[in-house]
Amino acid sequence: MIIDALKNGIVIDHITAGKGMEIYNLLKLDEIETQVAIIKNAQSRKMGKKDIIKIEGVCDINLAILGYVDPGSSVNIIREGKLSEKFHPELPEKLEGILKCKNPRCITSVEQELKHIFKLTDKESRTYRCLYCESKYK
Amino acid sequence: MRSLIDILDLTTEEIDGLIETAADIAANPAKYAEVCKGKKLATLFFEPSTRTRLSFEAAMYELGGNVLGFSEPGGSSTAKGESVSDTVRTVSCYADIIAMRHPKEGAPLVASMKASVPIINAGDGGHNHPTQTLTDLFTIMNEKGRFDNLTVGLCGDLKFGRTVHSLIGALSRYANVHFVLISPNELMLPEYMKSEVLEKKGLSYEETTDLEAVMPKLDILYMTRVQRERFFNEADYIRLKDSYILTTKKLENAKQDLTIMHPLPRVNEISVEVDDDPRACYFKQVLNGKYIRMALIMKLLGLKAEV
Ligand SMILES: [Zn+2]
């Protein structure tokens, strides 16, 4: 399978095999007008299998969620056919509308319209706590 | 515009400032009698707590302000199904400041994100109750004159007792505070409080089930209620409850300047004979609670007494 080399865009590489679709959904790539390719089960010397996502023509997607879902992935920003930036995603400080608070005593349990927001309270242990009730996400 | 949702929203300097104001109010009440003239406090109690509500209302009246609000009977958690956000947006049109109690954790934070006036968290479920903690801190300062170099005994239900958790959080910011955690094994301080607060901040603490054994070293003894429903069976409750009831006998080896505190209401965890002991400070705490709430209302409204 040949996927055109990108002129401008983002390549998310080293995605844990099987997580490509989940990341596609979380990044809301279905809302993008330009070409997007998901490559499943690509061969990887390091990982055996991996997924890759290529996004054509867009460079400014909010990728914060990546650091939470798949911290081992890597992001390549391509500009004018050249690799202009490469980085590993960091754990986001805040996750909005992604995790759900399960504490039955939390205000989010009775007010459906409230956006579930979690904040990173400890980087080392990757601990996220509900903004409202401060219970830990497990 | 600021709100008070969690005691840690306040810096230690701000707490010092509130305590200074509260002490001045206690000494010169007349000076503050009209500070809040023309201002209204709304007390929105989505669950009943007569004590806390009375304290806020008395505080506002003594500042020369007015009070309006509601208190829902137990059980029904929302005023006619309206969201917290809508309620506080509406009430913001009538009041200059809101004290809110809610059975759900985080509700006052939601309110503070939507209201156009300051919100004071008057208790959100088992989560935060910052004005209780301010009351405790003011009492400690009055009795001890300092927050550092103290040995603080916390006794009773340390597992579910939010006042204890908040007080530990607040005192963890001062130097050389040693905590003595006294409880039955069933009601010990939760693991996350130890790993994420005490150990993370390098605070010294010890755990024991024996109140009398540690009594001589305590500067402060903070008693809480051991509730029957927290135990798996009646036999355990009967066996353990007397160990955590404070009596004059248990105080025999205590320091002469011990400060005995309790967030009230008490059931039987402090025997009434202790009330006459000059070291008993729990009724003073009630009065302190009114003064510190007065100071807080003034601060959040940006008001000062004219000199
Ligand atoms: Zn929550």
Side-chain angles (χ1 to χ4, degrees), chain A residues 101 103 106-108 130 132-135:
Chain A
C101 182
N103 175 6
C106 180
I107 185 67
T108 56
C130 171
Y132 307 107
C133 70
E134 294 179 276
S135 62

Side-chain angles (χ1 to χ4, degrees), chain A residues 55-83:
Chain A
I55 308 158
E56 171 69 48
V58 188
C59 296
D60 58 348
I61 291 175
N62 183 356
L63 298 167
I65 180 69
L66 265 185
Y68 179 75
V69 188
D70 200 5
S73 61
S74 59
V75 178
N76 303 276
I77 310 280
I78 316 286
R79 288 193 173 92
E80 303 297 326
K82 284 182 189 153
L83 179 66

